[in-house]
């Protein structure tokens, strides 16, 4: 079950709740009982290695388009 991090606006504490994804947007009360909370944007850490032991290929260098190296910026 995913864990979501919240911050309580009145007391400033952060806390986590485990809840189903279907309830991720449901209101959450802080452990102190305050209802004015906001869900924080969490980052995901993924570890491990690629299967087969091969390293991931390096991105190709070169021009793209748009204003990141295209001819329109000048």
């Amino acid at each position: 079950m995913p864990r979501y991090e919240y911050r309580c606006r009145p007391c400033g504490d952060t806390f986590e709740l485990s809840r189903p994804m279907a309830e991720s947007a449901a209101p959450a009360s802080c452990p102190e009982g305050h209802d004015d909370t906001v869900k924080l944007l969490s980052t995901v850490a993924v570890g491990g290695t690629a299967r087969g032991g091969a390293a991931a290929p390096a991105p190709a260098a070169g021009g793209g388009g748009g204003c990141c190296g295209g001819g329109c910026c000048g």
Side-chain angles (χ1 to χ4, degrees), residues 2-68:
R3 294 182 62 99
Y4 298 97
E5 189 174 22
Y6 298 85
R7 183 177 49 84
C8 177
R9 289 182 175 155
C11 66
D13 288 341
T14 58
F15 60 98
E16 293 182 350
L17 290 177
S18 294
R19 50 174 41 175
M21 291 176 72
E23 296 177 17
S24 67
S29 295
C30 85
E32 298 295 321
H34 302 119
D35 291 327
D36 187 10
T37 60
V38 62
K39 188 170 86 168
L40 301 177
L41 179 63
S42 301
T43 58
V44 176
V46 179
T49 59
R51 291 184 181 248
C67 289
C68 297

